[in-house]
Each structure stands twice: as structure tokens, then as C-alpha cells.
Amino acid sequence: MTETGLIIGQAVFLLLLYLFIAFVVRASTRALKSSELEMTPPRQPEPPPSASPIAPAPPTEVVGAAAPPTAARWGVRGGRAEPPLSEAARPEVVHAAAAAEPHLVVRSSSSLPVGSMYDVAGGATIGRSRSSRIPITDQFISTTHARVFRKGHFWFVEDLGSLNGTYVNGRRISGEQQLHLRDEIRVGETVLRWEE
């Protein structure tokens, strides 16, 4: 091979190497942008301070929980009523939203009954496998298609390398996607709604 041929070969090799590195950097940048997470929980609005000592409505409590004594709700000192103790100071009060377990509701499916609910409190896998927590007999779903799991205070769905992909609110996801109330997850011909 001549010296000119070697120089041309080296130039082609360097060009291909440059294109490969550019592709890897672009794919990594896209993956990082799509997996950015909000790590702080949403702030709850502060209730306005009450000008009069009128008793507020009692908080929603779990059925069967022991009600705290009346004196713990409103104390009277020096002839004036004091506001109730904070929620943190009353561990026996549990809001219904905090006690609710996360679940998926079938919105439409060719193999699952519409309206059926699947508890995912400990995480769940979705796929054709019988060992999946949500087994779906659908030709467009992989054996282990996707999984739903908790990370910190947030819930995520992750595509497990399925051939036909996992969609959240109509957008195909790659890797993990944080779930929000009433998000719709589509795997194959099945649409599941996220509820907490």
C-alpha cells in the first residue's frame, strides 16, 4: 500500500471516530435531559391564620383510628381557646391521602378487564411473564416489559428494554420516568392510569 493510501485510510478512520464520539455525546446529553428529576416534594399551601377562635373542621382520619381526646384538640387556658396541636404532634391522626396505596387502574386493554386495579405498593413488573405482578397476554408486550418502583418519595416507571416501548401520556420513554397523579402508561394495547 502506498503512502497516499495510508494517509487516506487514517483520515477516514479519524472521521469515523469523530462521528462515533459525537453520536455518544449527543445520546448521553439526551438521556441526561430526559432523566432530570425534581427532588423536592411540591409545597402545600399554608392555611390562612384564623382571626377568631372558631374550631376548624376536624382533619380526615383513617377509619378505626382512635380519636384524640377533646382536650388535645382544643385546650383552654386563661379563658381563651388555643389552636389545635400540629399534625406532627398528633401521630394518631393520619390523613386519607397519606394512607392511600399507589395503584394502577386499567383504562383500556385487549386482555385485562377495564377498571380493574393493581396494587403496586412494593413495586411491580409488567409483562407477559406469569411472574409479573401485572401479567398481560398481549403479543406487543415483552416478557418483562416495564417496572414501577419507588425512589425516595417519588414513583417511577422504567422501560426494561422492550421492543415496542413504554409510553407515558403518549410519549415513548427511555429509562426511568417520574409518575404524577393520573399519568397514563401504555404498554402494547393496554393503557393503565397511575393513582395514589
Side-chain angles (χ1 to χ4, degrees):
M1 188 175 250
T2 65
E3 188 176 329
T4 307
L6 286 175
I7 292 174
I8 291 172
Q10 287 176 344
V12 169
F13 175 75
L14 288 175
L15 177 65
L16 291 174
L17 182 63
Y18 171 77
L19 290 174
F20 175 75
I21 291 172
F23 174 76
V24 169
V25 168
R26 184 174 176 205
S28 298
T29 304
R30 246 192 239 163
L32 286 174
K33 284 181 182 178
S34 69
S35 67
E36 289 178 355
L37 303 175
E38 179 185 336
M39 296 308 292
T40 57
R43 292 183 50 132
Q44 298 294 330
E46 294 290 326
S50 177
S52 63
I54 298 174
T60 306
E61 298 180 12
V62 173
V63 176
T70 307
R73 287 192 182 176
W74 281 91
V76 178
R77 286 190 189 155
R80 71 181 179 114
E82 293 185 344
L85 297 172
S86 70
E87 301 266 334
R90 296 188 292 149
E92 67 275 13
V93 175
V94 180
H95 284 283
E101 294 295 332
H103 56 276
L104 289 169
V105 180
V106 178
R107 297 271 299 160
S108 64
S109 178
S110 60
S111 61
L112 297 175
V114 174
S116 56
M117 295 192 319
Y118 292 90
D119 179 28
V120 295
T125 55
I126 303 169
R128 281 194 333 241
S129 170
R130 289 184 183 176
S131 63
S132 294
R133 191 163 220 188
I134 305 174
I136 303 174
T137 55
D138 183 343
Q139 64 181 351
F140 299 109
I141 293 182
S142 300
T143 306
T144 52
H145 195 98
R147 72 179 181 129
V148 176
F149 63 98
R150 184 176 188 159
K151 189 189 288 186
H153 295 292
F154 304 102
W155 285 88
F156 295 85
V157 62
E158 177 183 20
D159 184 76
L160 298 176
S162 65
L163 182 62
N164 293 315
T166 302
Y167 295 80
V168 175
N169 297 328
R171 282 186 45 206
R172 185 172 183 160
I173 64 168
S174 60
E176 303 171 358
Q177 171 75 38
Q178 184 177 350
L179 290 171
H180 302 284
L181 189 63
R182 293 189 183 88
D183 275 352
E184 291 194 346
I185 303 168
R186 182 170 63 83
V187 289
E189 295 178 341
T190 301
V191 177
L192 305 162
R193 187 179 66 224
W194 175 254
E195 295 287 348
E196 293 185 57

